[in-house]
PDB file of all heavy atoms in Angstrom:
ATOM      1  N   GLU A   1       2.636  -3.688   5.852  1.00 98.00           N
ATOM      2  CA  GLU A   1       3.640  -4.014   4.881  1.00 98.00           C
ATOM      3  C   GLU A   1       3.576  -3.127   3.623  1.00 98.00           C
ATOM      4  O   GLU A   1       4.596  -2.804   3.046  1.00 98.00           O
ATOM      5  CB  GLU A   1       3.433  -5.477   4.423  1.00 98.00           C
ATOM      6  CG  GLU A   1       3.740  -6.444   5.518  1.00 98.00           C
ATOM      7  CD  GLU A   1       3.690  -7.943   5.090  1.00 98.00           C
ATOM      8  OE1 GLU A   1       4.130  -8.169   3.911  1.00 98.00           O
ATOM      9  OE2 GLU A   1       3.191  -8.785   5.859  1.00 98.00           O
ATOM     10  N   VAL A   2       2.384  -2.775   3.209  1.00 98.00           N
ATOM     11  CA  VAL A   2       2.299  -1.807   2.046  1.00 98.00           C
ATOM     12  C   VAL A   2       2.922  -0.523   2.416  1.00 98.00           C
ATOM     13  O   VAL A   2       3.653   0.105   1.550  1.00 98.00           O
ATOM     14  CB  VAL A   2       0.817  -1.654   1.645  1.00 98.00           C
ATOM     15  CG1 VAL A   2       0.689  -0.642   0.488  1.00 98.00           C
ATOM     16  CG2 VAL A   2       0.141  -2.993   1.156  1.00 98.00           C
ATOM     17  N   LEU A   3       2.653   0.030   3.534  1.00 98.00           N
ATOM     18  CA  LEU A   3       3.191   1.347   3.920  1.00 98.00           C
ATOM     19  C   LEU A   3       4.739   1.259   4.048  1.00 98.00           C
ATOM     20  O   LEU A   3       5.461   2.160   3.566  1.00 98.00           O
ATOM     21  CB  LEU A   3       2.639   1.728   5.284  1.00 98.00           C
ATOM     22  CG  LEU A   3       1.198   2.219   5.304  1.00 98.00           C
ATOM     23  CD1 LEU A   3       0.724   2.435   6.739  1.00 98.00           C
ATOM     24  CD2 LEU A   3       1.079   3.509   4.550  1.00 98.00           C
ATOM     25  N   ASP A   4       5.240   0.140   4.525  1.00 98.00           N
ATOM     26  CA  ASP A   4       6.751  -0.043   4.519  1.00 98.00           C
ATOM     27  C   ASP A   4       7.318  -0.062   3.202  1.00 98.00           C
ATOM     28  O   ASP A   4       8.370   0.532   2.890  1.00 98.00           O
ATOM     29  CB  ASP A   4       7.114  -1.305   5.305  1.00 98.00           C
ATOM     30  CG  ASP A   4       6.908  -1.206   6.793  1.00 98.00           C
ATOM     31  OD1 ASP A   4       6.816  -0.054   7.262  1.00 98.00           O
ATOM     32  OD2 ASP A   4       6.925  -2.259   7.409  1.00 98.00           O
ATOM     33  N   MET A   5       6.610  -0.752   2.213  1.00 98.00           N
ATOM     34  CA  MET A   5       7.086  -0.803   0.860  1.00 98.00           C
ATOM     35  C   MET A   5       7.112   0.568   0.225  1.00 98.00           C
ATOM     36  O   MET A   5       8.069   1.026  -0.484  1.00 98.00           O
ATOM     37  CB  MET A   5       6.300  -1.760  -0.017  1.00 98.00           C
ATOM     38  CG  MET A   5       6.476  -3.226   0.446  1.00 98.00           C
ATOM     39  SD  MET A   5       5.397  -4.321  -0.491  1.00 98.00           S
ATOM     40  CE  MET A   5       6.291  -4.351  -2.077  1.00 98.00           C
ATOM     41  N   VAL A   6       6.026   1.318   0.394  1.00 98.00           N
ATOM     42  CA  VAL A   6       5.922   2.636  -0.225  1.00 98.00           C
ATOM     43  C   VAL A   6       6.974   3.593   0.378  1.00 98.00           C
ATOM     44  O   VAL A   6       7.622   4.371  -0.375  1.00 98.00           O
ATOM     45  CB  VAL A   6       4.570   3.258   0.070  1.00 98.00           C
ATOM     46  CG1 VAL A   6       4.475   4.731  -0.223  1.00 98.00           C
ATOM     47  CG2 VAL A   6       3.455   2.499  -0.862  1.00 98.00           C
ATOM     48  N   LYS A   7       7.210   3.540   1.651  1.00 98.00           N
ATOM     49  CA  LYS A   7       8.221   4.372   2.257  1.00 98.00           C
ATOM     50  C   LYS A   7       9.625   4.026   1.777  1.00 98.00           C
ATOM     51  O   LYS A   7      10.422   4.939   1.552  1.00 98.00           O
ATOM     52  CB  LYS A   7       8.169   4.248   3.769  1.00 98.00           C
ATOM     53  CG  LYS A   7       6.905   4.863   4.434  1.00 98.00           C
ATOM     54  CD  LYS A   7       6.852   4.629   5.908  1.00 98.00           C
ATOM     55  CE  LYS A   7       5.501   5.270   6.482  1.00 98.00           C
ATOM     56  NZ  LYS A   7       5.407   4.940   7.918  1.00 98.00           N
ATOM     57  N   GLU A   8       9.860   2.802   1.508  1.00 98.00           N
ATOM     58  CA  GLU A   8      11.207   2.353   0.993  1.00 98.00           C
ATOM     59  C   GLU A   8      11.283   2.845  -0.445  1.00 98.00           C
ATOM     60  O   GLU A   8      12.358   3.280  -0.893  1.00 98.00           O
ATOM     61  CB  GLU A   8      11.368   0.845   1.038  1.00 98.00           C
ATOM     62  CG  GLU A   8      12.637   0.324   0.341  1.00 98.00           C
ATOM     63  CD  GLU A   8      13.926   0.874   0.925  1.00 98.00           C
ATOM     64  OE1 GLU A   8      13.932   1.380   2.029  1.00 98.00           O
ATOM     65  OE2 GLU A   8      14.914   0.829   0.236  1.00 98.00           O
ATOM     66  N   GLN A   9      10.279   2.756  -1.307  1.00 98.00           N
ATOM     67  CA  GLN A   9      10.327   3.296  -2.683  1.00 98.00           C
ATOM     68  C   GLN A   9      10.618   4.771  -2.574  1.00 98.00           C
ATOM     69  O   GLN A   9      11.420   5.289  -3.444  1.00 98.00           O
ATOM     70  CB  GLN A   9       8.965   2.994  -3.387  1.00 98.00           C
ATOM     71  CG  GLN A   9       8.749   1.522  -3.693  1.00 98.00           C
ATOM     72  CD  GLN A   9       7.326   1.339  -4.213  1.00 98.00           C
ATOM     73  OE1 GLN A   9       6.437   2.163  -4.045  1.00 98.00           O
ATOM     74  NE2 GLN A   9       7.124   0.160  -4.758  1.00 98.00           N
ATOM     75  N   HIS A  10       9.987   5.458  -1.675  1.00 98.00           N
ATOM     76  CA  HIS A  10      10.220   6.910  -1.586  1.00 98.00           C
ATOM     77  C   HIS A  10      11.630   7.257  -1.178  1.00 98.00           C
ATOM     78  O   HIS A  10      12.212   8.127  -1.689  1.00 98.00           O
ATOM     79  CB  HIS A  10       9.225   7.577  -0.630  1.00 98.00           C
ATOM     80  CG  HIS A  10       9.345   8.995  -0.410  1.00 98.00           C
ATOM     81  ND1 HIS A  10       8.999   9.857  -1.459  1.00 98.00           N
ATOM     82  CD2 HIS A  10       9.725   9.776   0.599  1.00 98.00           C
ATOM     83  CE1 HIS A  10       9.180  11.089  -1.005  1.00 98.00           C
ATOM     84  NE2 HIS A  10       9.685  11.070   0.244  1.00 98.00           N
ATOM     85  N   ARG A  11      12.178   6.412  -0.242  1.00 97.00           N
ATOM     86  CA  ARG A  11      13.477   6.647   0.163  1.00 97.00           C
ATOM     87  C   ARG A  11      14.521   6.468  -0.909  1.00 97.00           C
ATOM     88  O   ARG A  11      15.532   7.179  -0.959  1.00 97.00           O
ATOM     89  CB  ARG A  11      13.859   5.601   1.318  1.00 97.00           C
ATOM     90  CG  ARG A  11      15.134   5.823   1.991  1.00 97.00           C
ATOM     91  CD  ARG A  11      15.614   4.689   2.826  1.00 97.00           C
ATOM     92  NE  ARG A  11      15.874   3.503   2.026  1.00 97.00           N
ATOM     93  CZ  ARG A  11      16.970   3.294   1.370  1.00 97.00           C
ATOM     94  NH1 ARG A  11      17.909   4.343   1.396  1.00 97.00           N
ATOM     95  NH2 ARG A  11      17.216   2.214   0.553  1.00 97.00           N
ATOM     96  N   ARG A  12      14.220   5.603  -1.931  1.00 97.00           N
ATOM     97  CA  ARG A  12      15.162   5.350  -2.999  1.00 97.00           C
ATOM     98  C   ARG A  12      15.042   6.447  -4.041  1.00 97.00           C
ATOM     99  O   ARG A  12      15.865   6.422  -4.957  1.00 97.00           O
ATOM    100  CB  ARG A  12      14.787   3.974  -3.659  1.00 97.00           C
ATOM    101  CG  ARG A  12      15.128   2.875  -2.758  1.00 97.00           C
ATOM    102  CD  ARG A  12      14.970   1.504  -3.473  1.00 97.00           C
ATOM    103  NE  ARG A  12      14.979   0.399  -2.457  1.00 97.00           N
ATOM    104  CZ  ARG A  12      14.885  -0.902  -2.709  1.00 97.00           C
ATOM    105  NH1 ARG A  12      14.752  -1.283  -4.026  1.00 97.00           N
ATOM    106  NH2 ARG A  12      14.928  -1.728  -1.800  1.00 97.00           N
ATOM    107  N   GLY A  13      14.126   7.378  -3.927  1.00 97.00           N
ATOM    108  CA  GLY A  13      14.089   8.502  -4.885  1.00 97.00           C
ATOM    109  C   GLY A  13      12.865   8.505  -5.781  1.00 97.00           C
ATOM    110  O   GLY A  13      12.905   9.328  -6.686  1.00 97.00           O
ATOM    111  N   ALA A  14      11.899   7.674  -5.502  1.00 98.00           N
ATOM    112  CA  ALA A  14      10.715   7.694  -6.383  1.00 98.00           C
ATOM    113  C   ALA A  14       9.925   8.980  -6.231  1.00 98.00           C
ATOM    114  O   ALA A  14       9.648   9.432  -5.093  1.00 98.00           O
ATOM    115  CB  ALA A  14       9.812   6.470  -6.017  1.00 98.00           C
ATOM    116  N   ASP A  15       9.469   9.558  -7.370  1.00 98.00           N
ATOM    117  CA  ASP A  15       8.517  10.709  -7.307  1.00 98.00           C
ATOM    118  C   ASP A  15       7.170  10.339  -7.067  1.00 98.00           C
ATOM    119  O   ASP A  15       6.381  10.976  -6.384  1.00 98.00           O
ATOM    120  CB  ASP A  15       8.655  11.500  -8.632  1.00 98.00           C
ATOM    121  CG  ASP A  15      10.054  11.973  -8.912  1.00 98.00           C
ATOM    122  OD1 ASP A  15      10.517  12.941  -8.258  1.00 98.00           O
ATOM    123  OD2 ASP A  15      10.698  11.373  -9.765  1.00 98.00           O
ATOM    124  N   ILE A  16       6.873   9.114  -7.497  1.00 98.00           N
ATOM    125  CA  ILE A  16       5.524   8.444  -7.286  1.00 98.00           C
ATOM    126  C   ILE A  16       5.873   6.967  -6.907  1.00 98.00           C
ATOM    127  O   ILE A  16       6.665   6.342  -7.581  1.00 98.00           O
ATOM    128  CB  ILE A  16       4.597   8.482  -8.500  1.00 98.00           C
ATOM    129  CG1 ILE A  16       4.331  10.047  -8.818  1.00 98.00           C
ATOM    130  CG2 ILE A  16       3.261   7.829  -8.233  1.00 98.00           C
ATOM    131  CD1 ILE A  16       3.508  10.133 -10.132  1.00 98.00           C
ATOM    132  N   CYS A  17       5.175   6.446  -5.886  1.00 98.00           N
ATOM    133  CA  CYS A  17       5.345   5.116  -5.452  1.00 98.00           C
ATOM    134  C   CYS A  17       4.068   4.304  -5.887  1.00 98.00           C
ATOM    135  O   CYS A  17       2.954   4.766  -5.916  1.00 98.00           O
ATOM    136  CB  CYS A  17       5.473   5.061  -3.896  1.00 98.00           C
ATOM    137  SG  CYS A  17       6.776   6.112  -3.195  1.00 98.00           S
ATOM    138  N   LYS A  18       4.420   3.027  -6.192  1.00 98.00           N
ATOM    139  CA  LYS A  18       3.267   2.229  -6.726  1.00 98.00           C
ATOM    140  C   LYS A  18       3.447   0.713  -6.105  1.00 98.00           C
ATOM    141  O   LYS A  18       4.476   0.088  -6.335  1.00 98.00           O
ATOM    142  CB  LYS A  18       3.347   2.124  -8.208  1.00 98.00           C
ATOM    143  CG  LYS A  18       2.230   1.165  -8.833  1.00 98.00           C
ATOM    144  CD  LYS A  18       2.343   1.122 -10.368  1.00 98.00           C
ATOM    145  CE  LYS A  18       1.536   0.082 -10.976  1.00 98.00           C
ATOM    146  NZ  LYS A  18       1.732  -0.077 -12.415  1.00 98.00           N
ATOM    147  N   VAL A  19       2.341   0.284  -5.483  1.00 98.00           N
ATOM    148  CA  VAL A  19       2.289  -1.080  -5.019  1.00 98.00           C
ATOM    149  C   VAL A  19       0.983  -1.698  -5.503  1.00 98.00           C
ATOM    150  O   VAL A  19      -0.117  -1.081  -5.403  1.00 98.00           O
ATOM    151  CB  VAL A  19       2.330  -1.174  -3.494  1.00 98.00           C
ATOM    152  CG1 VAL A  19       2.176  -2.549  -2.985  1.00 98.00           C
ATOM    153  CG2 VAL A  19       3.730  -0.638  -2.987  1.00 98.00           C
ATOM    154  N   VAL A  20       1.105  -2.952  -6.006  1.00 98.00           N
ATOM    155  CA  VAL A  20      -0.067  -3.655  -6.533  1.00 98.00           C
ATOM    156  C   VAL A  20      -0.137  -4.937  -5.742  1.00 98.00           C
ATOM    157  O   VAL A  20       0.731  -5.789  -5.747  1.00 98.00           O
ATOM    158  CB  VAL A  20      -0.030  -3.976  -7.963  1.00 98.00           C
ATOM    159  CG1 VAL A  20      -1.301  -4.614  -8.480  1.00 98.00           C
ATOM    160  CG2 VAL A  20       0.278  -2.721  -8.789  1.00 98.00           C
ATOM    161  N   THR A  21      -1.328  -5.133  -4.984  1.00 98.00           N
ATOM    162  CA  THR A  21      -1.485  -6.354  -4.154  1.00 98.00           C
ATOM    163  C   THR A  21      -2.697  -7.118  -4.719  1.00 98.00           C
ATOM    164  O   THR A  21      -2.929  -7.148  -5.891  1.00 98.00           O
ATOM    165  CB  THR A  21      -1.712  -5.969  -2.711  1.00 98.00           C
ATOM    166  OG1 THR A  21      -2.882  -5.200  -2.510  1.00 98.00           O
ATOM    167  CG2 THR A  21      -0.478  -5.115  -2.157  1.00 98.00           C
ATOM    168  N   GLY A  22      -3.440  -7.707  -3.777  1.00 97.00           N
ATOM    169  CA  GLY A  22      -4.645  -8.509  -4.170  1.00 97.00           C
ATOM    170  C   GLY A  22      -5.808  -8.289  -3.196  1.00 97.00           C
ATOM    171  O   GLY A  22      -5.537  -7.899  -2.107  1.00 97.00           O
ATOM    172  N   ALA A  23      -6.968  -8.700  -3.683  1.00 97.00           N
ATOM    173  CA  ALA A  23      -8.153  -8.690  -2.852  1.00 97.00           C
ATOM    174  C   ALA A  23      -9.097  -9.750  -3.368  1.00 97.00           C
ATOM    175  O   ALA A  23      -9.776  -9.560  -4.373  1.00 97.00           O
ATOM    176  CB  ALA A  23      -8.816  -7.267  -2.869  1.00 97.00           C
ATOM    177  N   GLU A  24      -9.149 -10.848  -2.649  1.00 97.00           N
ATOM    178  CA  GLU A  24      -9.964 -11.951  -3.121  1.00 97.00           C
ATOM    179  C   GLU A  24     -11.311 -12.074  -2.347  1.00 97.00           C
ATOM    180  O   GLU A  24     -12.143 -12.888  -2.694  1.00 97.00           O
ATOM    181  CB  GLU A  24      -9.227 -13.331  -2.941  1.00 97.00           C
ATOM    182  CG  GLU A  24      -7.926 -13.346  -3.875  1.00 97.00           C
ATOM    183  CD  GLU A  24      -8.273 -13.387  -5.292  1.00 97.00           C
ATOM    184  OE1 GLU A  24      -9.427 -13.603  -5.739  1.00 97.00           O
ATOM    185  OE2 GLU A  24      -7.297 -13.141  -6.113  1.00 97.00           O
ATOM    186  N   ASN A  25     -11.474 -11.248  -1.253  1.00 97.00           N
ATOM    187  CA  ASN A  25     -12.710 -11.395  -0.516  1.00 97.00           C
ATOM    188  C   ASN A  25     -12.938  -9.992   0.177  1.00 97.00           C
ATOM    189  O   ASN A  25     -12.133  -9.088   0.030  1.00 97.00           O
ATOM    190  CB  ASN A  25     -12.589 -12.402   0.563  1.00 97.00           C
ATOM    191  CG  ASN A  25     -11.367 -12.258   1.437  1.00 97.00           C
ATOM    192  OD1 ASN A  25     -11.168 -11.238   2.066  1.00 97.00           O
ATOM    193  ND2 ASN A  25     -10.514 -13.340   1.482  1.00 97.00           N
ATOM    194  N   ASP A  26     -14.094  -9.926   0.807  1.00 97.00           N
ATOM    195  CA  ASP A  26     -14.524  -8.595   1.311  1.00 97.00           C
ATOM    196  C   ASP A  26     -13.593  -8.069   2.429  1.00 97.00           C
ATOM    197  O   ASP A  26     -13.312  -6.911   2.672  1.00 97.00           O
ATOM    198  CB  ASP A  26     -15.920  -8.639   1.928  1.00 97.00           C
ATOM    199  CG  ASP A  26     -16.996  -8.712   0.847  1.00 97.00           C
ATOM    200  OD1 ASP A  26     -16.595  -8.455  -0.334  1.00 97.00           O
ATOM    201  OD2 ASP A  26     -18.093  -9.157   1.064  1.00 97.00           O
ATOM    202  N   LEU A  27     -13.063  -9.013   3.209  1.00 98.00           N
ATOM    203  CA  LEU A  27     -12.142  -8.663   4.272  1.00 98.00           C
ATOM    204  C   LEU A  27     -10.815  -7.984   3.732  1.00 98.00           C
ATOM    205  O   LEU A  27     -10.369  -6.958   4.218  1.00 98.00           O
ATOM    206  CB  LEU A  27     -11.713  -9.845   5.184  1.00 98.00           C
ATOM    207  CG  LEU A  27     -10.854  -9.574   6.354  1.00 98.00           C
ATOM    208  CD1 LEU A  27     -11.502  -8.575   7.320  1.00 98.00           C
ATOM    209  CD2 LEU A  27     -10.477 -10.925   7.069  1.00 98.00           C
ATOM    210  N   GLU A  28     -10.297  -8.607   2.673  1.00 98.00           N
ATOM    211  CA  GLU A  28      -9.077  -8.039   2.086  1.00 98.00           C
ATOM    212  C   GLU A  28      -9.440  -6.741   1.408  1.00 98.00           C
ATOM    213  O   GLU A  28      -8.619  -5.778   1.423  1.00 98.00           O
ATOM    214  CB  GLU A  28      -8.549  -9.076   1.096  1.00 98.00           C
ATOM    215  CG  GLU A  28      -7.970 -10.301   1.705  1.00 98.00           C
ATOM    216  CD  GLU A  28      -7.417 -11.279   0.733  1.00 98.00           C
ATOM    217  OE1 GLU A  28      -7.632 -11.171  -0.451  1.00 98.00           O
ATOM    218  OE2 GLU A  28      -6.747 -12.292   1.251  1.00 98.00           O
ATOM    219  N   LEU A  29     -10.577  -6.655   0.844  1.00 98.00           N
ATOM    220  CA  LEU A  29     -11.054  -5.380   0.116  1.00 98.00           C
ATOM    221  C   LEU A  29     -11.093  -4.235   1.191  1.00 98.00           C
ATOM    222  O   LEU A  29     -10.609  -3.173   0.942  1.00 98.00           O
ATOM    223  CB  LEU A  29     -12.365  -5.589  -0.564  1.00 98.00           C
ATOM    224  CG  LEU A  29     -13.009  -4.306  -1.205  1.00 98.00           C
ATOM    225  CD1 LEU A  29     -12.074  -3.743  -2.308  1.00 98.00           C
ATOM    226  CD2 LEU A  29     -14.344  -4.612  -1.692  1.00 98.00           C
ATOM    227  N   SER A  30     -11.742  -4.531   2.299  1.00 98.00           N
ATOM    228  CA  SER A  30     -11.865  -3.458   3.303  1.00 98.00           C
ATOM    229  C   SER A  30     -10.547  -3.015   3.869  1.00 98.00           C
ATOM    230  O   SER A  30     -10.289  -1.831   4.109  1.00 98.00           O
ATOM    231  CB  SER A  30     -12.826  -3.946   4.468  1.00 98.00           C
ATOM    232  OG  SER A  30     -12.253  -5.079   5.109  1.00 98.00           O
ATOM    233  N   GLU A  31      -9.662  -4.014   4.021  1.00 98.00           N
ATOM    234  CA  GLU A  31      -8.278  -3.664   4.462  1.00 98.00           C
ATOM    235  C   GLU A  31      -7.549  -2.821   3.456  1.00 98.00           C
ATOM    236  O   GLU A  31      -6.857  -1.810   3.784  1.00 98.00           O
ATOM    237  CB  GLU A  31      -7.475  -4.940   4.767  1.00 98.00           C
ATOM    238  CG  GLU A  31      -6.039  -4.712   5.135  1.00 98.00           C
ATOM    239  CD  GLU A  31      -5.855  -4.285   6.597  1.00 98.00           C
ATOM    240  OE1 GLU A  31      -6.804  -4.168   7.298  1.00 98.00           O
ATOM    241  OE2 GLU A  31      -4.697  -4.044   6.937  1.00 98.00           O
ATOM    242  N   ASN A  32      -7.756  -3.107   2.189  1.00 98.00           N
ATOM    243  CA  ASN A  32      -7.137  -2.339   1.160  1.00 98.00           C
ATOM    244  C   ASN A  32      -7.642  -0.851   1.107  1.00 98.00           C
ATOM    245  O   ASN A  32      -6.914   0.093   0.907  1.00 98.00           O
ATOM    246  CB  ASN A  32      -7.368  -2.977  -0.244  1.00 98.00           C
ATOM    247  CG  ASN A  32      -6.409  -4.113  -0.449  1.00 98.00           C
ATOM    248  OD1 ASN A  32      -5.499  -4.424   0.250  1.00 98.00           O
ATOM    249  ND2 ASN A  32      -6.644  -4.904  -1.551  1.00 98.00           N
ATOM    250  N   PHE A  33      -8.972  -0.734   1.378  1.00 98.00           N
ATOM    251  CA  PHE A  33      -9.480   0.630   1.511  1.00 98.00           C
ATOM    252  C   PHE A  33      -8.847   1.404   2.646  1.00 98.00           C
ATOM    253  O   PHE A  33      -8.550   2.601   2.546  1.00 98.00           O
ATOM    254  CB  PHE A  33     -11.000   0.589   1.640  1.00 98.00           C
ATOM    255  CG  PHE A  33     -11.730   0.496   0.329  1.00 98.00           C
ATOM    256  CD1 PHE A  33     -12.707  -0.548   0.183  1.00 98.00           C
ATOM    257  CD2 PHE A  33     -11.545   1.307  -0.752  1.00 98.00           C
ATOM    258  CE1 PHE A  33     -13.417  -0.706  -1.064  1.00 98.00           C
ATOM    259  CE2 PHE A  33     -12.249   1.191  -1.879  1.00 98.00           C
ATOM    260  CZ  PHE A  33     -13.145   0.167  -2.084  1.00 98.00           C
ATOM    261  N   ARG A  34      -8.674   0.669   3.760  1.00 98.00           N
ATOM    262  CA  ARG A  34      -8.034   1.384   4.937  1.00 98.00           C
ATOM    263  C   ARG A  34      -6.553   1.811   4.524  1.00 98.00           C
ATOM    264  O   ARG A  34      -6.077   2.874   4.875  1.00 98.00           O
ATOM    265  CB  ARG A  34      -8.001   0.449   6.168  1.00 98.00           C
ATOM    266  CG  ARG A  34      -9.322   0.387   6.870  1.00 98.00           C
ATOM    267  CD  ARG A  34      -9.149  -0.241   8.151  1.00 98.00           C
ATOM    268  NE  ARG A  34      -8.885  -1.710   8.114  1.00 98.00           N
ATOM    269  CZ  ARG A  34      -9.795  -2.624   8.020  1.00 98.00           C
ATOM    270  NH1 ARG A  34     -11.045  -2.368   7.981  1.00 98.00           N
ATOM    271  NH2 ARG A  34      -9.367  -3.870   7.854  1.00 98.00           N
ATOM    272  N   THR A  35      -5.833   0.906   3.793  1.00 98.00           N
ATOM    273  CA  THR A  35      -4.478   1.208   3.415  1.00 98.00           C
ATOM    274  C   THR A  35      -4.543   2.387   2.462  1.00 98.00           C
ATOM    275  O   THR A  35      -3.684   3.310   2.567  1.00 98.00           O
ATOM    276  CB  THR A  35      -3.926  -0.033   2.696  1.00 98.00           C
ATOM    277  OG1 THR A  35      -3.858  -1.078   3.581  1.00 98.00           O
ATOM    278  CG2 THR A  35      -2.521   0.272   2.244  1.00 98.00           C
ATOM    279  N   SER A  36      -5.507   2.415   1.569  1.00 98.00           N
ATOM    280  CA  SER A  36      -5.548   3.579   0.653  1.00 98.00           C
ATOM    281  C   SER A  36      -5.775   4.907   1.362  1.00 98.00           C
ATOM    282  O   SER A  36      -5.230   5.964   0.971  1.00 98.00           O
ATOM    283  CB  SER A  36      -6.702   3.363  -0.394  1.00 98.00           C
ATOM    284  OG  SER A  36      -6.444   2.293  -1.218  1.00 98.00           O
ATOM    285  N   ALA A  37      -6.618   4.857   2.393  1.00 98.00           N
ATOM    286  CA  ALA A  37      -6.921   6.093   3.231  1.00 98.00           C
ATOM    287  C   ALA A  37      -5.604   6.567   3.924  1.00 98.00           C
ATOM    288  O   ALA A  37      -5.335   7.738   4.036  1.00 98.00           O
ATOM    289  CB  ALA A  37      -8.014   5.771   4.232  1.00 98.00           C
ATOM    290  N   ARG A  38      -4.823   5.542   4.473  1.00 98.00           N
ATOM    291  CA  ARG A  38      -3.545   5.930   5.131  1.00 98.00           C
ATOM    292  C   ARG A  38      -2.571   6.516   4.142  1.00 98.00           C
ATOM    293  O   ARG A  38      -1.899   7.533   4.345  1.00 98.00           O
ATOM    294  CB  ARG A  38      -2.865   4.699   5.772  1.00 98.00           C
ATOM    295  CG  ARG A  38      -3.588   4.269   7.005  1.00 98.00           C
ATOM    296  CD  ARG A  38      -3.421   5.203   8.139  1.00 98.00           C
ATOM    297  NE  ARG A  38      -2.000   5.550   8.338  1.00 98.00           N
ATOM    298  CZ  ARG A  38      -1.110   4.654   9.044  1.00 98.00           C
ATOM    299  NH1 ARG A  38      -1.603   3.596   9.619  1.00 98.00           N
ATOM    300  NH2 ARG A  38       0.172   5.067   9.243  1.00 98.00           N
ATOM    301  N   LEU A  39      -2.508   5.924   2.914  1.00 98.00           N
ATOM    302  CA  LEU A  39      -1.595   6.413   1.871  1.00 98.00           C
ATOM    303  C   LEU A  39      -1.909   7.865   1.392  1.00 98.00           C
ATOM    304  O   LEU A  39      -1.168   8.638   1.125  1.00 98.00           O
ATOM    305  CB  LEU A  39      -1.592   5.465   0.662  1.00 98.00           C
ATOM    306  CG  LEU A  39      -0.890   4.085   0.905  1.00 98.00           C
ATOM    307  CD1 LEU A  39      -1.079   3.201  -0.268  1.00 98.00           C
ATOM    308  CD2 LEU A  39       0.584   4.239   1.283  1.00 98.00           C
ATOM    309  N   ALA A  40      -3.235   8.168   1.447  1.00 97.00           N
ATOM    310  CA  ALA A  40      -3.760   9.441   0.991  1.00 97.00           C
ATOM    311  C   ALA A  40      -3.256  10.469   1.952  1.00 97.00           C
ATOM    312  O   ALA A  40      -3.280  11.723   1.614  1.00 97.00           O
ATOM    313  CB  ALA A  40      -5.239   9.472   0.955  1.00 97.00           C
TER     314      ALA A  40
END
């Protein structure tokens, strides 16, 4: 879902895309790190 949002922001003409989500536990944190690696 984060990747889809970023791609849509880019499609609209963003020079930089920004998404802010949440991380309330270690599982969500580890998933966010994976997402960050993909975005990189």
Side-chain angles (χ1 to χ4, degrees):
E1 291 188 41
V2 175
L3 288 171
D4 285 346
M5 293 178 73
V6 165
K7 290 175 181 177
E8 174 59 20
Q9 291 172 344
H10 181 67
R11 188 195 67 78
R12 293 186 192 181
D15 300 288
I16 300 175
C17 308
K18 175 184 173 185
V19 175
V20 184
T21 64
E24 297 295 345
N25 53 57
D26 288 344
L27 182 61
E28 292 178 350
L29 175 63
S30 63
E31 176 77 2
N32 283 350
F33 277 128
R34 283 193 292 271
T35 301
S36 293
R38 286 289 306 278
L39 292 172

